[in-house]
Amino acid sequence: MNTKIQLSLVLPKTITNDYKGKKAALNFFYFATAITIVRSLIHMLAPDGGAQSLATIPLDHYSHPAKATIIYLFGTWGLSQLIMGVFYLIVAVRYKSLVPLMYIFIAFEYFMRIVIGRMKPIALTGTAPGAMGNLPFLMIAVLMFALSVSQTTGMQTK
């Protein structure tokens, strides 16, 4: 596959609902979309934003203003995740030709979660489920990207 063809699979000149990659990558994209939306709603709606209940940040050891700040930041982080989740949902429903590009975004997000987590570690009382999933999700996103640009003859989903 030459570079011009690869680039057109990631950045198509015309955005359509035709998906030409492997079906497994499309199905996993649906799953990643659902996970992103659910995760965002937890951060926005949980009383602690998921900071202590999920991420194991010891909120009980902080002053009320510090605790409120962390919960607020988790809530706004949830809003950012919801925006991305809705964008993924729009792609999943109407613009499937952008699925390969979405996998680049997903891989970048999980890669940067790892980098930022190492650059700016925080005090935790356990291992957050999100932290355990960062590397596997990054590796799966890279694999799914490869499958999404691997054309399947005759497969178009509308």
Side-chain angles (χ1 to χ4, degrees), residues 1-140:
M1 191 179 291
N2 67 40
T3 307
K4 185 175 180 181
I5 292 172
Q6 290 175 354
L7 186 59
S8 71
L9 290 172
V10 176
L11 297 170
K13 286 187 180 187
T14 304
I15 300 170
T16 67
N17 206 28
D18 293 334
Y19 173 76
K20 296 180 177 147
K22 303 288 185 192
K23 189 156 179 84
L26 183 60
N27 288 335
F28 189 80
F29 182 70
Y30 296 148
F31 173 73
T33 299
I35 291 293
T36 300
I37 292 171
V38 168
R39 182 182 63 196
S40 72
L41 294 174
I42 290 169
H43 288 306
M44 289 174 55
L45 302 174
D48 70 344
Q52 184 165 311
S53 59
L54 294 172
T56 73
I57 296 172
L59 293 180
D60 296 337
H61 294 104
Y62 300 135
S63 68
H64 178 72
K67 187 185 315 187
T69 300
I70 293 167
I71 293 170
Y72 170 80
L73 291 173
F74 267 68
T76 57
W77 181 30
L79 174 60
S80 296
Q81 291 174 333
L82 182 61
I83 291 167
M84 286 307 300
V86 168
F87 187 65
Y88 295 162
L89 185 60
I90 291 167
V91 168
V93 171
R94 184 72 177 95
Y95 301 109
K96 290 179 185 74
S97 65
L98 292 177
V99 167
L101 180 61
M102 296 302 100
Y103 273 121
I104 291 173
F105 290 142
I106 292 169
F108 182 69
E109 175 189 355
Y110 282 88
F111 173 75
M112 290 308 297
R113 284 172 174 242
I114 294 167
V115 170
I116 292 169
R118 293 206 173 143
M119 288 173 44
K120 301 173 186 248
I122 58 175
L124 301 172
T125 59
T127 305
M132 290 188 306
N134 287 341
L135 183 58
F137 218 83
L138 167 61
M139 294 181 338
I140 292 168

